[in-house]
Amino acid sequence: MCGIIGYVGKREALPIVLDGLHRLEYRGYDSAGVAIHSGKGIKTARAVGKVAMLVEACDGKNFGGTAGLGHTRWATHGKPAEKNTHPHTDCTKSFYIAHNGIIENHDELRDELRAKGHTFKSETDSEVIAHLLEEEYRIFGSFEQAAQLTLQKIRGTYGLAMVSSYEPKKIIAARMGAPIVLGLGENENFVASDASPLLSHTRTVLYLQDGEMAVVMPDSYFVTTLDNKVVERGSETIEWDADKMQKGGYAHFTLKEIKEGPEVIENTLRGRLITENGLAKLGGLQSIEAKIRAVKRIIIVACGTALHAARVGEYMLEEYAGIPVEVEFSSEFRYRKPMIDVETLVIAISQSGETADTLEAIREAKRKGATTLGIVNVVGSTIARETDVGIYNHAGPEISVLSTKAYISQLAVLALLTVFLGRQRQLSLSMGKRILEELETLPPKIEKIFEQEQKIRKLAKRYAKYRHMLYLGRKYNFATAYEGALKVKEASYIHAEGCGAGEMKHGFIAMIDKAFPTVAIAPSDSVYDKMLSNIQEIKARGGRVLVIASEGDTRAIKLADDTLTIPKTLEMLSPILAIVPLQLFAYYLTLERKLDPDRPRNLAKSVTVE
Ligand code: AGP
């Protein structure tokens, strides 16, 4: 997610802000910028790429002032480009803002502001904030009041820092759904998106809560609610070091990103549900809605974890959208002779948007006349740019090599796409509504799974001695078996074998003995009884079984040696829940084997070569 740093005090602001941006680089970003009071208005610099390029862009410029802010951007609306880089300003260049989050009603605000004569320079949702400040200031002549009225008009999420040429010794910050923390120093104060850039200056901090706004000066600050009620809350002292800070207090990015699951589903769904009509709103598809309605066949190309998401999407789209779907390894698709025509939709799923095989598969599909659609997390990535249309995950940067939060976001996007396509076809309003309503219940259901974390850690301690494991699943959780096994393989280097449970008797069961345990994904669904039989067959051969069962299960838990449970949900959405305990299980197995889950040997975060 984006990074924000603001400073107001007695020292020159630019070096402090640039150093703060360096300390925010870990968050993942694609561009950076600064806005610094120079004593004669506000000077800015922006750069696409690394902070080092921004430092170069600032070189030689006189930024003299002792207040300003900086931002590292993780693109959500508008590709990485200088015009989209924060801080954004208004028509009069009197206000500069750095924003983290998504403004849901930015389209309507932009229209209203344009009607009042405002001109926009960027493609971002964030820029509307600067123009709203300009508009409100013109009426009230107060920076604080303009900020309060602006915040009352925007819907969505923000962690926000604002400066104005009218008040060179002041920063205003606000929080709604994205963190903002004040750093309190001696005759100097700070604003940031997390405390990591503050630690070299102060450990005395105050975290804003949702719906709060802070006015920060060199030797004082105050906090109010958006309806101007004063908030009295003491500061606190940070004990963490920078590394722990960057991981949100977790030991590894892998665990942090697994724990971000609930928030990721919320962000993936945000602004995309028209529940009362059972419709999914996918703005990126609007331009070719008619063409998509004519689609007769879908091919999904992907690699690794993204391919496992594709396999779940295959079942969703066939069952609820009534469209034939094939899933292809990108690396195979591009070398075989795929049958493609203008009624084929080729979907590429890729977290990074840079996977070479998937990119080449899309290029091959386009050569043959297919319509291409990208489900991508990194905005402005090559696959996002080269597919005809796309759906961004909005999962935020995934730092760990292990793909965890992106996977559940991919599944949620595929569920939205299923509703979108299904409601163009035979899917009823009531079933579309049912799926969307159930999607909204998933974040707290994922949180509930986290309550078993200590039990999972104990199970990992017990299973870490094994060198082999079999993962079994059927139908919607066929792919869960393969994804759960991949997590174990790539992080703990234990040989874990994913297997469709129906295939077990066609060879896999020969491996089972007391040294070869099985993880069976057996929620209460349409293939539950079949899974019970598979568990019994494993037990009859002396194999240990860890079952992932639904809450309230009474049969599987009697057969298995160890049990983890997931809340009940629609069968098509159960993979989103079933993978969560398996991600945690793989993480703790890795720790038991004294390995680093964030950076497994031999692996890269994005396989940009064949
Ligand atoms: C996932 O844990 C792996 N690191 C890997 O399989 C990954 O999913 C695969 O390389 C595809 O990457 P992409 O989603 O960025 O295209």
Side-chain angles (χ1 to χ4, degrees), residues 151-390:
L151 296 172
Q152 286 165 10
K153 287 192 174 176
I154 57 182
R155 271 201 330 272
T157 55
Y158 53 80
L160 192 53
M162 303 167 270
V163 292
S164 166
S165 55
Y166 298 113
E167 306 257 11
K169 291 284 183 196
K170 195 174 280 183
I171 295 180
I172 295 183
R175 177 200 158 127
M176 181 64 77
I180 283 285
V181 59
L182 308 187
L184 308 176
E186 292 297 317
N187 300 319
E188 62 181 16
N189 287 318
F190 304 78
V191 169
S193 44
D194 70 60
S196 49
L198 307 180
L199 297 180
S200 55
H201 306 290
T202 179
R203 285 182 175 270
T204 306
V205 297
L206 184 146
Y207 285 90
L208 291 191
Q209 293 177 12
D210 280 354
E212 293 180 347
M213 182 181 103
V215 179
V216 183
M217 284 79 68
D219 46 17
S220 66
Y221 70 93
F222 62 88
V223 180
T224 67
T225 59
L226 298 193
D227 48 8
N228 213 19
K229 292 191 181 66
V230 175
V231 173
E232 300 287 351
R233 185 164 62 248
S235 60
E236 50 193 277
T237 304
I238 289 197
E239 308 300 341
W240 284 342
D241 62 22
D243 181 62
K244 205 164 172 60
M245 181 63 55
Q246 292 176 357
K247 292 162 186 165
Y250 294 107
H252 298 96
F253 282 112
T254 306
L255 183 57
K256 174 174 180 276
E257 289 160 5
I258 293 170
K259 292 300 190 69
E260 285 175 355
E263 176 192 348
V264 164
I265 295 294
E266 286 170 354
N267 289 337
T268 299
L269 301 178
R270 191 182 306 284
R272 291 172 162 170
L273 307 184
I274 309 175
T275 307
E276 62 280 6
N277 298 328
L279 296 172
K281 183 182 169 205
L282 297 173
L285 308 190
Q286 268 162 1
S287 62
I288 63 163
E289 191 153 353
K291 202 175 201 180
I292 283 195
R293 190 185 296 274
V295 159
K296 295 281 186 298
R297 180 166 157 262
I298 292 174
I299 296 174
I300 311 178
V301 294
C303 301
T305 289
L307 182 103
H308 299 149
R311 292 211 187 284
V312 177
E314 175 183 19
Y315 289 18
M316 289 178 176
L317 288 161
E318 287 182 339
E319 182 162 9
Y320 293 99
I323 304 174
V325 180
E326 290 162 55
V327 173
E328 297 280 356
F329 289 100
S330 302
S331 51
E332 286 297 309
F333 177 85
R334 55 184 297 213
Y335 293 111
R336 50 174 286 205
K337 184 173 176 285
M339 306 312 291
I340 290 175
D341 60 25
V342 291
E343 290 179 333
T344 306
L345 173 67
V346 176
I347 298 173
I349 303 177
S350 176
Q351 188 286 131
S352 63
E354 301 298 345
T355 298
D357 284 324
T358 304
L359 176 58
E360 288 308 321
I362 281 297
R363 288 170 175 165
E364 180 66 6
K366 291 177 79 168
R367 283 183 207 109
K368 292 178 179 283
T371 300
T372 56
L373 185 158
I375 296 176
V376 178
N377 191 35
V378 179
V379 174
S381 56
T382 308
I383 292 171
R385 282 184 283 109
E386 294 200 15
T387 41
D388 298 314
V389 292

Side-chain angles (χ1 to χ4, degrees), residues 393-405:
N393 290 91
H394 295 322
E398 191 173 62
I399 310 293
S400 172
V401 167
L402 304 190
S403 189
T404 52
K405 65 177 188 175

Side-chain angles (χ1 to χ4, degrees), residues 552-586:
D553 181 286
T554 55
R555 297 164 60 196
I557 61 173
K558 288 200 180 80
L559 293 172
D561 300 277
D562 306 294
T563 299
L564 293 170
T565 59
I566 58 174
K568 287 189 169 59
T569 184
L570 286 178
E571 182 168 351
M572 69 175 273
L573 301 180
S574 65
I576 297 176
L577 299 181
I579 196 60
V580 174
L582 298 179
Q583 291 172 342
L584 286 170
F585 183 59

